[in-house]
Amino acid sequence: MKRNLSALKKALQFGISGAVGGFVGNLITEPFMQRLPGSESFFDSVLSTGRWFGLVGGGIATAIMFGYYYYIKGKPQIKQALKNGGLFGLIAGAISGAIAEGIYSGIGDGNNELLRVICWGIAGSLLGLGLAQRIPNLGALRGTGGGGVGGVLGGCLFILFAYNLSGTAGRLAGCAAIGFWIGIMLVVAETLFNKAWLVISYDTGANRTLTLGSEPVTFGSDENLSIICIPNVSPLAMRFQLEAGQIVCENVDSGAVSYLRSGDQKKIGNCTITVGNSDLPAPTTANIPPTFISDQPAVNSFTSRQFSLKLGSRVIPLSAGTQLFTSDIPSLTAAASNGLVAIVTSRSRNELSLGLTNLCDRAWWATDIQGDIKMVEPESTLTLALGTQIEFGEIDGEIV
């Protein structure tokens, strides 16, 4: 749900940004459009259309990059948007506009609206391809496809506006429609066809979604090193990447590397990062037996300390022999068919030391009171200590 709402917000932000860019780009070209002669040669027509859509494309690309930076950083980045959107958008727009006009004027008779829509699709595809080189992990195929569909939808509205509004008003509204639909469809294509993503949930309640791919998604306090900037953490604290179909998380501070599944979470600074993977859905609580809090007594009642596992509002006493099932921790999947995901074991004969053995099919992450992070792999044991925080996928626990 968080991902869908965040993607919708992202699509609207990109769409509105693209609409503003298309409108402003065409507004700049209007004086030149009015000076164009009524009858042009094929070459002049291609040149003037390339010049026109170059400025429109530059406006759309700059505005969409502005929307992208505002989405991920939460503040305007006008200089970065111009740097990464203006020039390439101008070039991509000019080339795509010239190609589209060449096809339309060379093949069509000047009245074939279907061909005109197809040409808008071609222009949108090339503009989307250019944007894919600037937006991390968008991908050339998704960028080209999303831009093409957006160009077709916007082109249909452009023609509609051209027939029902005056020349200038029709072009302004039409270019805004093209920018709007290119921005919308880039996000739609990214969301529908990505294999892995991150949902970033801030303590303020805000959510953002980023696609994972071969280009790392970085988190830290330094804007030059990190895509997502988080205050009061290391300049480069954490890095996520999709490698050979696996989601890899690197804790840059400790050097620890982990392989994550859908639903796994990481906490850094003021945000929680949830991993999503379309090929490996997150475990659910469906078909899980009624909750059972294990209270199996210890083999020997003598222990130096009584530990408990706090899971939200629930507290489960832990002693040697205590068993935890999927009903206790629904975010875990048992490696065996009996549903057992963990068991408390005694690590010495007099039970002065207790450990929690991982019997599920995924690793846990444990953080002790000193802040040291340790990965608890399946079949390995974590020594119990007060204050230890344990990440069981979507559920966090604490030894108390």
Side-chain angles (χ1 to χ4, degrees):
M1 179 62 71
K2 285 184 179 180
R3 180 204 178 200
N4 294 335
L5 291 175
S6 182
L8 177 60
K9 176 184 175 182
K10 185 177 182 180
L12 289 174
Q13 197 159 320
F14 276 42
I16 293 172
S17 298
V20 172
F23 183 91
V24 172
N26 187 81
L27 189 64
I28 295 173
T29 65
E30 275 304 305
F32 303 102
M33 297 292 292
Q34 293 172 1
R35 294 172 190 164
L36 292 176
S39 177
E40 294 180 316
S41 67
F42 173 80
F43 177 78
D44 289 336
S45 178
V46 169
L47 185 62
S48 62
T49 301
R51 179 181 60 190
W52 168 59
F53 200 69
L55 289 172
V56 172
I60 292 174
T62 300
I64 288 178
M65 290 304 302
F66 177 89
Y68 167 74
Y69 288 124
Y70 191 82
Y71 176 78
I72 64 172
K73 297 183 181 296
K75 59 182 179 180
Q77 300 279 307
I78 299 176
K79 184 177 179 181
Q80 285 293 101
L82 284 169
K83 177 182 177 182
N84 293 318
L87 181 60
F88 98 84
L90 180 68
I91 296 173
I95 294 174
S96 61
I99 292 174
E101 179 62 28
I103 295 174
Y104 182 72
S105 299
I107 299 176
D109 56 4
N111 295 309
N112 190 330
E113 301 300 349
L114 177 60
L115 183 58
R116 179 178 291 182
V117 169
I118 293 174
C119 289
W120 281 121
I122 294 173
S125 294
L126 293 179
L127 196 58
L129 177 61
L131 283 165
Q133 310 308 312
R134 296 294 188 273
I135 299 177
N137 298 316
L138 173 59
L141 188 60
R142 290 191 292 265
T144 302
V149 174
V152 168
L153 293 174
C156 291
L157 289 176
F158 185 97
I159 295 170
L160 179 64
F161 292 142
Y163 275 109
N164 291 278
L165 300 173
S166 64
T168 299
R171 284 191 293 271
L172 287 171
C175 288
I178 289 171
F180 177 81
W181 281 109
I182 288 177
I184 288 282
M185 293 311 299
L186 285 176
V187 179
V188 170
E190 178 188 48
T191 303
L192 289 179
F193 299 106
N194 61 359
K195 291 185 176 180
W197 58 88
L198 301 176
V199 177
I200 305 162
S201 303
Y202 292 86
D203 293 344
T204 58
N207 294 293
R208 295 186 176 95
T209 301
L210 290 181
T211 295
L212 277 178
S214 58
E215 186 171 344
V217 177
T218 52
F219 295 78
S221 59
D222 190 333
E223 291 189 357
N224 296 320
L225 299 175
S226 306
I227 293 177
I228 301 296
C229 295
I230 301 174
N232 304 319
V233 299
S234 300
L236 179 59
M238 200 168 288
R239 182 187 291 116
F240 293 82
Q241 193 171 4
L242 188 64
E243 293 182 354
Q246 291 186 306
I247 302 171
V248 182
C249 172
E250 178 186 357
N251 188 316
V252 179
D253 291 332
S254 65
V257 176
S258 58
Y259 295 88
L260 307 180
R261 292 177 16 143
S262 184
D264 284 348
Q265 292 184 331
K266 295 291 180 182
K267 177 73 175 178
I268 175 172
N270 63 347
C271 71
T272 300
I273 305 162
T274 304
V275 173
N277 187 337
S278 59
D279 294 333
L280 187 59
T284 66
T285 57
N287 300 321
I288 291 179
T291 300
F292 169 73
I293 301 179
S294 304
D295 57 0
Q296 181 174 337
V299 175
N300 188 321
S301 60
F302 173 78
T303 58
S304 61
R305 188 185 299 275
Q306 175 68 51
F307 293 105
S308 296
L309 175 63
K310 184 178 180 181
L311 299 169
S313 60
R314 298 172 55 211
V315 177
I316 304 175
L318 301 179
S319 55
T322 298
Q323 298 178 345
L324 301 177
F325 296 86
T326 54
S327 54
D328 297 312
I329 313 176
S331 60
L332 299 182
T333 301
S337 59
N338 58 5
L340 189 63
V341 295
I343 187 171
V344 179
T345 56
S346 174
R347 309 196 70 181
S348 62
R349 290 186 177 181
N350 59 5
E351 300 186 17
L352 293 176
S353 177
L354 296 177
L356 189 64
T357 301
N358 183 353
L359 298 180
C360 70
D361 63 351
R362 66 199 296 182
W364 310 333
W365 284 95
T367 306
D368 62 23
I369 56 176
Q370 283 79 32
D372 294 331
I373 301 174
K374 176 184 179 181
M375 182 170 65
V376 186
E377 297 179 341
E379 299 184 1
S380 63
T381 299
L382 170 70
T383 300
L384 297 183
L386 286 177
T388 300
Q389 305 279 341
I390 309 175
E391 295 182 19
F392 299 111
E394 296 176 341
I395 297 178
D396 292 335
E398 181 182 0
I399 303 300
V400 296

